[in-house]
Amino acid sequence: MIDNLTSDNLFITLVGPPNSGKTTLFNYFSGKNYKTVNYPGATVDSAVANLQKKFNINASLMDSPGIISLNPETDDEKIAVNYLYKHPKLGKPDLVIVTVDSSQLSRHLYLAKQIINSKFNVIIALTMVDILEQKGFEINEDKLSEIIGCKTFKVDGRSGRGIDNLLSYINDNKISFKEETILNNHSANNNTDDVLLLYKEIEKIEDECLVEIEDKKNINLKRANKQLNLVTNKFEKKKCNQIDARTVKIDKVLLHNTWGLVFFFLIMSFTFTSIFWFAQPIMNFVSYIFQNLADEALNLAGNNWFGMLLSNGIINGVGSVVVFVPQIMILFLILGILEDSGYLARGAMLIDKPLSKIGLNGKSFVPMLSGFACAIPAMMAARTIPNRRERLLTIFILPLLSCSARLPVYTLLLAFLFPGNKAWIAGIVLAAIYLFSILSSILAAAIINKLNNKVIKAQDNSSFILELPAYRRPEVKVVAINMWHSGKLYLQKAGPIILVLSICIWFFTSFPNIDPKVNTDNISQEQVNELKDSERLATSYAADFGKIIQPVMTPLGLDWRVGVALISAFTAREVFVSSMALIFKVTDSRGSLMESMLDAMKNSKIGNTEKKLFTPSSIIGIIIFFMFALQCLSTIAISRKETGSWRIPILQLIIFSGLAYFLSFVAVNGLRILGLS
Amino acid sequence: MKTAADLKHGEKVIINCVNSKHPSAKRLLEVGFTPGQEIELVNRSTFNDPIAISIRGTVIALRRSDADCIIIA
Ligand SMILES: Nc1nc2c(ncn2[C@@H]2O[C@H](COP(=O)(O)OP(=O)(O)O)[C@@H](O)[C@H]2O)c(=O)[nH]1
Ligand SMILES: [Mg+2]
């Protein structure tokens, strides 16, 4: 990503307070699509990209997490400050672009001034000018540039307005940015008096540069006020410090003293039920297409090993996972709307008190919500939690939340439990599974919190200070791009693994006895095929391996075939579905891929007996297993990275996977005792 | 001594000073809670904690224990 590091290559760093529009600008410059969210603390890692060719400037650009000042408190802020002074690869920046939200002038200039005082080459990018205009004010850029001591530009990273000026200024001054400067590392204010002094200075600057947009009425009003002298100043200040009127109105409802939490739970429940209901029709369609493709492939290639590899190994294996892309995209669509609206910070505020009772923090809410998408970004999002203990505890419980990779597994199993006209129940049960994953994670946190210092050591002051950004109508473009990318990412992440694993599993379940000899007397061609399929599997490499794991599976009412699927799911949970499709040989076409898979499951028996393999109790057992087991190697790796040692990931692996097996065992056998087969 | 944690819903006051011994003092000053600024309690969460206070044209949610270091009278 970082190439052509020649001497005329500029290294530009974007810095600014949270939610000031850094990532929006970064995306505009680089043509990339990093996530922009209406929540302070959405970017938790730095990213580097080259400036797009069309801008004709040879430069690398860095985006960074938002910081309030040069004194970092959380891990994401530490990254931002350290990388500002010295990027591990690119070193010291030639130029720092500080984003300043114009509607938050004094609060945001505070950081800008600190950075200027540190002797960086600075340009200020004034964002959100439109919002300030709505309040009836504008900034006198020239005056601001003059007083604060660096060039300032009004920009809008969403439309690109004003960015040309900024770029041509950079282009004109390339050479002077390259000159060696000596940074002043200590200008970060170290005591509270310094903070006050700096704010005094900033307030003066604000007073001089913020001007009311004058329409006719205002001019008259101003003239009248001028004669009353002092009044003008006070009047102006009050008005520009007013908070967004619409936001106040919405918060009267959503942050209502008693109803706030009720709305919170309603919004969350709606989110999870709708994933299932909206996606169902699209999924049926995709599933139908893949089944036809697989049939066609088998017809064209013939019933030989190549045809089987193509239709069973590749098309069905991959198809069984692609089917779930619509669902993943809808999950991200709804999360995206929530993120862009500004509600997330309110959610964090509402849930802070309950979460603090179990050793978490209101700021655990956003990582937990992202945990429903994937535990990996979720664990990184936990960087915004200042208190180390609360942060580690949040990371600890994240694997319990129902990530999107589990969605295909649950959907398949629930479709088995609630077929045909009972499908609507599946939607409700899915919501219940999500709710239960929240409950179990909370319970886990509470228990570990009680164990106190044994697992995670207690540490310093716990606090919750979070800006509530103004509400905004979610932008179609932002939300749609976000949805599109998460669909793509899901395929990119899962695709290659699934392709490789599908072929592996196909190989191990088909060889060495690819063309078994069976007694073909007096039976139809269809029966011959079925017999061959089962004979081939029974004498395969996978079956040899299966005999070893059979004893572990028997207590759960399952056999080695499900065992193989479960083990393959340790690479990525979705693989469970494709493995099932392969092992239970979904070749004959009866409508869609999903339908023939469910048929194959219905007809499978345990070993040589007549006992059905998949019964309500054994399916519930598998669901429970997936709810708890830590089956994802990438999660273990990121947990190691974010917590700084192997202690927590190993504990997570042992506790959650052990619990999964134990609870699944209890559920299956409990249900059987109660009479549910 | 009255602090921001004692504010009533909708009550507007001017910050007198910030208790610099409090562990959250530095952060609160940095986000803009400096003496002389006008603040207002705009929302309370369901359990009356955290509270949302408007300052310098924005709203900041904070726990009562954090608000305790903002002295208003
Ligand atoms: N109204 C308005 N919104 C903007 C502007 N620039 C960015 N935004 C929005 O502000 C939010 C925060 O932007 P983001 O780039 O994620 O900020 P970051 O936290 O500094 O990276 C996003 O929802 C953007 O769409 C602007 O100039 N005007
Ligand atoms: Mg960002």
Side-chain angles (χ1 to χ4, degrees):
Chain A
M1 196 161 55
I2 311 153
D3 45 42
N4 51 30
L5 264 180
T6 46
S7 57
D8 68 330
N9 187 62
L10 274 183
F11 174 38
I12 307 174
T13 295
L14 269 167
V15 192
N19 230 19
S20 59
K22 292 177 298 299
T23 304
T24 310
L25 267 183
F26 180 75
N27 287 343
Y28 183 86
F29 282 132
S30 63
K32 297 263 187 294
N33 273 294
Y34 282 86
K35 221 166 153 180
T36 61
V37 171
N38 192 11
Y39 176 79
T43 311
V44 289
D45 208 354
S46 81
V48 179
N50 287 328
L51 215 65
Q52 288 188 79
K53 287 248 158 25
K54 63 175 181 191
F55 297 125
N56 281 327
I57 297 177
N58 204 353
S60 304
L61 190 69
M62 178 177 92
D63 186 21
S64 59
I67 48 177
I68 307 253
S69 75
L70 289 178
N71 304 303
E73 284 202 340
T74 60
D75 281 24
D76 58 323
E77 289 171 358
K78 276 178 202 146
I79 292 174
V81 175
N82 289 341
Y83 279 31
L84 166 68
Y85 278 101
K86 195 170 189 303
H87 185 279
K89 285 208 190 83
L90 298 168
K92 207 172 67 174
D94 301 311
L95 171 67
V96 179
I97 299 180
V98 185
T99 50
V100 167
D101 176 344
S102 317
S103 66
Q104 303 277 321
L105 202 57
S106 67
R107 288 175 0 95
H108 285 195
L109 279 181
Y110 176 81
L111 173 69
K113 189 70 188 159
Q114 274 193 333
I115 294 174
I116 294 169
N117 290 349
S118 301
K119 301 278 192 300
F120 285 99
N121 292 321
V122 180
I123 293 180
I124 291 181
L126 293 164
T127 60
M128 321 275 176
V129 197
D130 49 324
I131 296 176
L132 185 68
E133 265 166 28
Q134 277 163 26
K135 288 187 177 180
F137 286 83
E138 66 185 355
I139 293 172
N140 183 340
E141 295 168 84
D142 296 335
K143 199 156 194 183
L144 181 59
S145 304
E146 190 191 311
I147 308 177
I148 203 155
C150 81
K151 197 79 184 142
T152 60
F153 295 93
K154 290 180 188 165
V155 298
D156 188 335
R158 298 171 309 164
S159 63
R161 204 182 52 177
I163 292 182
D164 291 351
N165 294 339
L166 190 151
L167 284 172
S168 61
Y169 177 79
I170 294 179
N171 206 15
D172 295 344
N173 293 276
K174 263 194 299 213
I175 299 158
S176 71
F177 293 146
K178 272 282 171 194
E179 275 162 26
E180 198 57 30
T181 47
I182 295 157
L183 295 182
N184 178 359
N185 271 0
H186 305 289
S187 83
N189 301 49
N190 283 321
N191 63 48
T192 48
D193 287 343
D194 290 335
V195 182
L196 294 183
L197 274 177
L198 193 55
Y199 255 120
K200 280 260 149 60
E201 199 181 331
I202 296 296
E203 275 159 28
K204 252 188 234 126
I205 299 176
E206 185 191 25
D207 272 350
E208 285 192 49
C209 301
L210 209 57
V211 284
E212 214 165 342
I213 298 170
E214 312 207 359
D215 53 25
K216 275 190 184 135
K217 238 194 251 153
N218 266 340
I219 292 174
N220 293 337
L221 206 70
K222 263 201 148 172
R223 262 193 214 122
N225 277 335
K226 269 235 169 80
Q227 277 149 17
L228 295 169
N229 226 336
L230 250 171
V231 185
T232 328
N233 238 338
K234 251 194 176 161
F235 172 57
E236 265 183 32
K237 198 155 188 187
K238 265 246 169 70
K239 205 170 155 221
C240 76
N241 269 349
Q242 255 168 14
I243 46 180
D244 179 46
R246 193 175 55 163
T247 298
V248 174
K249 255 190 225 149
I250 300 175
D251 271 342
K252 277 223 170 80
V253 181
L254 290 183
L255 285 184
H256 186 273
N257 197 213
T258 35
W259 294 108
L261 213 55
V262 176
F263 283 119
F264 175 77
F265 285 116
L266 282 179
I267 291 171
M268 291 300 122
S269 321
F270 171 79
T271 306
F272 297 129
T273 6
S274 50
I275 299 167
F276 198 85
W277 285 337
F278 288 152
Q280 206 58 39
I282 318 174
M283 279 175 58
N284 288 342
F285 178 69
V286 180
S287 158
Y288 178 79
I289 290 179
F290 269 97
Q291 182 64 54
N292 284 343
L293 263 174
D295 288 346
E296 271 316 299
L298 200 59
N299 279 342
L300 285 177
N303 204 351
N304 49 29
W305 73 267
F306 180 68
M308 284 189 285
L309 168 65
L310 203 64
S311 90
N312 277 331
I314 297 177
I315 300 181
N316 273 355
V318 172
S320 60
V321 175
V322 174
V323 164
F324 296 96
V325 171
Q327 218 170 25
I328 306 285
M329 286 172 75
I330 286 178
L331 171 72
F332 281 95
L333 170 74
I334 298 174
L335 287 182
I337 293 174
L338 270 182
E339 287 168 347
D340 214 32
S341 68
Y343 185 70
L344 290 190
R346 273 80 183 176
M349 172 185 171
L350 285 167
I351 203 90
D352 176 64
K353 187 80 179 181
L355 288 184
S356 69
K357 292 271 186 257
I358 54 168
L360 299 176
N361 188 294
K363 288 185 181 173
S364 306
F365 168 65
V366 170
M368 284 170 79
L369 194 67
S370 2
F372 288 111
C374 176
I376 294 163
M379 284 184 176
M380 291 173 70
R383 288 178 187 170
T384 56
I385 304 169
N387 180 298
R388 182 167 162 80
R389 183 169 193 268
E390 290 170 344
R391 176 168 165 237
L392 292 182
L393 195 53
T394 307
I395 290 179
F396 196 93
I397 60 153
L398 281 173
L400 286 177
L401 292 160
S402 195
C403 71
S404 60
R406 277 179 257 206
L407 204 52
V409 179
Y410 293 149
T411 310
L412 175 73
L413 298 177
L414 288 176
F416 184 87
L417 281 184
F418 304 102
N421 55 5
K422 279 193 281 184
W424 61 275
I425 305 179
I428 295 174
V429 176
L430 187 72
I433 290 179
Y434 273 103
L435 207 70
F436 191 82
S437 79
I438 300 173
L439 287 180
S440 64
S441 66
I442 285 176
L443 210 65
I447 292 169
I448 296 165
N449 190 34
K450 274 276 167 315
L451 294 178
N452 225 341
N453 289 338
K454 293 245 167 53
V455 185
I456 300 171
K457 287 204 173 63
Q459 254 169 2
D460 41 64
N461 162 52
S462 166
S463 71
F464 176 83
I465 301 170
L466 184 68
E467 186 181 351
L468 305 180
Y471 283 108
R472 209 184 0 237
R473 185 173 296 121
E475 259 193 73
V476 181
K477 205 180 119 200
V478 172
V479 175
I481 287 178
N482 181 20
M483 176 175 91
W484 175 248
H485 273 263
S486 38
K488 215 169 87 179
L489 218 67
Y490 170 79
L491 283 181
Q492 275 171 356
K493 188 202 100 193
I497 301 180
I498 284 156
L499 189 65
V500 170
L501 260 119
S502 292
I503 295 172
C504 287
I505 286 174
W506 173 82
F507 177 81
F508 287 115
T509 54
S510 309
F511 284 87
N513 203 1
I514 179 85
D515 192 16
K517 301 267 174 297
V518 291
N519 189 355
T520 53
D521 300 344
N522 305 329
I523 51 172
S524 69
Q525 184 57 39
E526 195 173 317
Q527 280 167 310
V528 171
N529 281 349
E530 243 168 61
L531 217 61
K532 276 192 172 183
D533 280 349
S534 69
E535 185 61 24
R536 189 184 300 125
L537 183 64
T539 55
S540 67
Y541 292 125
D544 292 343
F545 170 71
K547 297 204 180 77
I548 308 172
I549 54 168
Q550 181 69 43
V552 186
M553 301 312 295
T554 312
L556 304 185
L558 299 169
D559 72 359
W560 64 269
R561 290 175 291 178
V562 185
V564 170
L566 279 179
I567 288 174
S568 64
F570 268 86
T571 50
R573 290 181 177 93
E574 308 92 323
V575 172
F576 178 76
V577 177
S578 58
S579 301
M580 292 280 284
L582 286 170
I583 294 170
F584 291 94
K585 284 289 178 291
V586 205
T587 36
D588 43 350
S589 60
R590 272 172 231 142
S592 71
L593 180 59
M594 275 281 270
E595 276 168 43
S596 45
M597 219 167 142
L598 292 174
D599 265 345
M601 284 169 67
K602 238 176 257 161
N603 297 327
S604 46
K605 310 272 182 340
I606 298 184
N608 294 324
T609 64
E610 277 306 297
K611 263 173 52 193
K612 284 211 152 74
L613 173 56
F614 295 106
T615 61
S617 65
S618 71
I619 292 279
I620 292 172
I622 304 177
I623 293 180
I624 290 178
F625 187 83
F626 269 90
M627 286 169 81
F628 290 93
L630 177 48
Q631 278 168 297
C632 174
L633 296 180
S634 336
T635 303
I636 296 173
I638 202 83
S639 172
R640 157 76 184 75
K641 183 162 170 265
E642 293 295 309
T643 60
S645 81
W646 280 110
R647 224 168 85 83
I648 287 181
I650 287 171
L651 279 173
Q652 285 173 311
L653 182 66
I654 294 171
I655 294 177
F656 294 149
S657 302
L659 206 60
Y661 188 81
F662 174 72
L663 289 177
S664 163
F665 172 78
V666 170
V668 172
N669 293 288
L671 285 172
R672 294 210 165 145
I673 289 167
L674 293 176
L676 187 73
S677 58
Chain B
M1 208 165 47
K2 204 179 163 194
T3 72
D6 309 316
L7 283 176
K8 288 188 195 60
H9 201 199
E11 198 180 1
K12 277 186 203 168
V13 288
I14 304 278
I15 299 176
N16 183 0
C17 65
V18 172
N19 174 7
S20 57
K21 297 222 171 56
H22 193 286
S24 301
K26 188 91 175 286
R27 204 11 82 100
L28 286 173
L29 282 169
E30 285 175 342
V31 297
F33 288 97
T34 54
Q37 288 293 317
E38 186 187 76
I39 55 170
E40 177 187 349
L41 196 159
V42 284
N43 286 108
R44 284 172 305 164
S45 176
T46 303
F47 306 98
N48 285 331
D49 191 20
I51 51 180
I53 295 182
S54 79
I55 172 90
R56 293 178 189 260
T58 188
V59 180
I60 290 181
L62 66 169
R63 286 194 189 152
R64 281 177 184 277
S65 57
D66 296 316
D68 241 348
C69 77
I70 303 168
I71 295 155
I72 54 180

